[in-house]
Amino acid sequence: DNIGPDSQRLLIKELTSLSREQGGNLIILNADKLIADDLDWWGQPEPSWPVMKTIKNSLDPNTLFNPGATPFE
């Protein structure tokens, strides 16, 4: 059964909170078009992201490999 957009937002908020409490992050792979623009698809920024971005940019300076597949592009 489908749940409405408000219930989806609430569920995502609760799952994000649980993930963060455990030291993780909630990454959303797919979402209803009604809520997609409201979502933080990659979760909260992590301290390791600048290092990952540096490595990605050095290996793929023209972003040819999986463009848009990382939170820092």
Side-chain angles (χ1 to χ4, degrees):
D1 290 285
N2 288 337
I3 60 174
D6 291 336
S7 296
Q8 291 176 35
R9 285 184 191 96
L10 181 60
L11 178 60
I12 290 169
K13 183 177 180 179
E14 290 175 7
L15 290 172
T16 299
S17 179
L18 285 171
S19 298
R20 297 304 294 170
E21 287 173 11
Q22 298 299 315
N25 227 334
L26 180 72
I27 297 173
I28 301 167
L29 301 178
N30 194 359
D32 190 310
K33 290 180 182 180
L34 295 173
I35 67 165
D37 290 340
D38 302 336
L39 299 177
D40 185 8
W41 290 81
W42 289 100
Q44 296 180 0
E46 296 289 334
S48 62
W49 287 6
V51 173
M52 292 168 48
K53 181 178 181 180
T54 300
I55 294 168
K56 169 85 164 89
N57 289 342
S58 68
L59 296 173
D60 183 22
N62 297 317
T63 60
L64 299 176
F65 306 117
N66 278 340
T70 60
F72 34 77
E73 288 181 350

